[in-house]
Amino acid sequence: MAHQTDFTKKKECEVKALPLEEKKRMVKDGEAHWFFPRHVAEQVIICGALLMILITISTIFPAHLGEKADPFNTPDHIKPEWYFLAAYYTLRVAEYTEFLGAWAPKIMGIVMQGVAVTLLLLVPFIDRGGKERRPSKRPIAMAAGAAAAITFIAFTLLGHYV
Amino acid sequence: MDMDTLELGPFKVKNKLVIRMFSALDDRLGVKEILDDEVFEKIAPAHLGFWSCFGGISFFLFICQIVTGILLMIYYQPTISQAHASVGRIMNEAPFGWLIRGIHAWGSNLMLITIAVHMTKIFVSGIYKAPRELNWVVGVILLLLTLGLSFTGYLLPWTQLAYWATVVGTETPAAIPYIGEYIRFAMRGGDEIGQVTLTRFFAIHVMVLPVITAATVLLHLLQIRRQGISGPL
């Protein structure tokens, strides 16, 4: 369909500069929606639904306030919040590097965390496999992503239960 | 502008007073051009579905955190003798305090989930590829800032769990060779976790990180605006 404006390959400033007649045609042909009122209405509905979910959860499960901190009383089990469990378990895994020397466990723990964050930051520069975006045509990237996700979830569960 | 009817997208305004006020504003600031470009003659892609919402949802949750956070600050007292009791008063005495704190606490958890879903969608659809590599990098920085906000906010009610989680959390960077000990000292404001730690975490949680995060969110959005929304697969 050569006559169509390739909307998705244009920068916002280029889309903005399209003639009004062209924009009207794109809305008519189903390639785009008007920002107002259609898109704004969708956003308002999504945000409203989300706020209702938050209010519902907060009402059914009120935020917990634990006992006051006591610096002289160390609890038996110190566990971080769920989103830090994987990082916490990494420190436990690092204890197995003790065969390298007494220095290893502490340093390897923070090294492993640092490497994980650096790899995540550099994803676009590690995966330079052309412009192909369909998941089925990117088996290596998908496998690496799945492995990373499974490791994170496994570490989170192990951090919680072990 | 001199006319009988002011046309703004679907709206047709005939009120003389409104037209005169709008004209005066338009003569000075060119309001009509901005409104047409950014609101009434703006189009959005039709291919965006459920999974494309999560970046925007995370943004909305960030706004909710700012609003509820400011409300919580009205009653919260950042001292080790009063912090726990003041959160108790927020929960039990302040009007709707339980709800405001509930939204703030659950919102922070939900925000990390929606960010994870957003990142998964971006990864699976290969949207991080050229020309959007730096969007991904800025996005990961936003994730780290969100984790920093969670970490600093967790200590503020001064509960037993939060205190000891912070003991462990501030101990971890101490393992970094040469500078680790200094980082721990800087995070705690001393050798032990105490009033200085709480003051520091409070300042970082309500001022430093929110301002940096807001600026980074702005950068993230500007990148999207310059590049446009990515196309369908």
Side-chain angles (χ1 to χ4, degrees), chain A residues 33 66 70 73 82 120 127, chain B residues 41 44 84 109 128 136 160 225:
Chain A
H33 298 310
D70 181 359
N73 175 19
W82 63 269
L120 190 65
D127 174 19
Chain B
E41 289 177 11
H84 188 266
N109 286 283
Y128 58 85
W136 174 274
Q160 181 74 331
R225 293 210 55 158

Side-chain angles (χ1 to χ4, degrees), chain B residues 109-123:
Chain B
N109 286 283
L110 199 59
M111 194 172 156
L112 284 159
I113 294 171
T114 59
I115 289 174
V117 175
H118 176 56
M119 289 179 75
T120 309
K121 146 83 186 170
I122 299 291
F123 183 80

Side-chain angles (χ1 to χ4, degrees), chain A residues 62-99:
Chain A
H64 178 67
L65 179 62
E67 54 179 320
K68 193 178 172 181
D70 181 359
F72 302 108
N73 175 19
T74 313
D76 295 334
H77 303 286
I78 305 172
K79 288 271 164 90
E81 288 285 87
W82 63 269
Y83 37 85
F84 285 126
L85 282 172
Y88 162 78
Y89 192 73
T90 309
L91 300 179
R92 306 269 300 267
V93 170
E95 286 169 14
Y96 290 105
T97 60
E98 205 170 1
F99 66 89

Side-chain angles (χ1 to χ4, degrees), chain A residues 7-13 15-16 18 20 23 26-27 30-37 39 43 46-48 50-51 53-55 57-59 61-75 77-84 88 91 106-107 110 113 117 119-125 127-135 138 141-142 144-146, chain B residues 10-11 37-48 53 57 60-61 64 80-82 84 87-88 91 98-99 101-103 105-110 112-113 119 123-130 132-134 136-137 140-141 143-144 147-148 150-151 154 157-161 163-165 168 171-173 175-177 224-233:
Chain A
F7 177 43
T8 54
K9 287 211 171 65
K10 282 186 182 299
K11 291 178 181 173
E12 179 138 339
C13 50
V15 174
K16 195 191 284 179
L18 289 172
L20 188 57
K23 291 181 185 171
M26 289 169 70
V27 172
E31 295 166 40
H33 298 310
W34 289 118
F35 175 77
F36 185 89
H39 191 70
Q43 303 297 310
I46 292 171
C47 293
L50 200 66
L51 200 55
I53 291 172
L54 270 176
I55 291 172
I57 300 176
S58 304
T59 309
F61 308 103
H64 178 67
L65 179 62
E67 54 179 320
K68 193 178 172 181
D70 181 359
F72 302 108
N73 175 19
T74 313
H77 303 286
I78 305 172
K79 288 271 164 90
E81 288 285 87
W82 63 269
Y83 37 85
F84 285 126
Y88 162 78
L91 300 179
K106 281 188 116 181
I107 295 181
I110 198 134
Q113 291 175 357
V117 171
L119 285 177
L120 190 65
L121 268 171
L122 296 181
V123 161
F125 308 102
D127 174 19
R128 304 198 62 93
K131 283 189 176 286
E132 182 58 58
R133 282 182 43 205
R134 278 167 297 180
R138 297 157 50 223
M142 284 302 107
Chain B
F11 298 116
D37 279 355
E38 302 299 332
V39 182
F40 296 116
E41 289 177 11
K42 186 172 166 150
I43 48 175
H47 69 271
L48 299 179
C53 292
I57 287 178
F60 174 69
L61 286 173
C64 288
I80 56 176
S81 63
Q82 282 303 309
H84 188 266
V87 175
M91 297 295 288
W98 60 274
L99 182 61
R101 175 154 183 261
I103 294 174
W106 283 111
S108 75
N109 286 283
L110 199 59
L112 284 159
I113 294 171
M119 289 179 75
F123 183 80
V124 172
S125 316
I127 295 170
Y128 58 85
K129 295 196 167 196
R132 298 185 174 80
E133 300 98 321
L134 291 178
W136 174 274
V137 175
V140 174
I141 292 171
L143 168 68
L144 298 176
L147 287 171
S150 304
F151 181 68
Y154 190 54
W158 202 251
T159 60
Q160 181 74 331
L161 278 178
Y163 180 90
W164 290 99
V168 178
E171 190 61 49
T172 312
I176 300 172
I224 298 168
R225 293 210 55 158
R226 288 298 290 171
Q227 294 167 336
I229 305 274
S230 63
L233 280 174

Side-chain angles (χ1 to χ4, degrees), chain B residues 77-94:
Chain B
Q77 293 171 291
T79 64
I80 56 176
S81 63
Q82 282 303 309
H84 188 266
S86 69
V87 175
R89 279 194 294 277
I90 288 171
M91 297 295 288
N92 298 317
E93 291 170 34

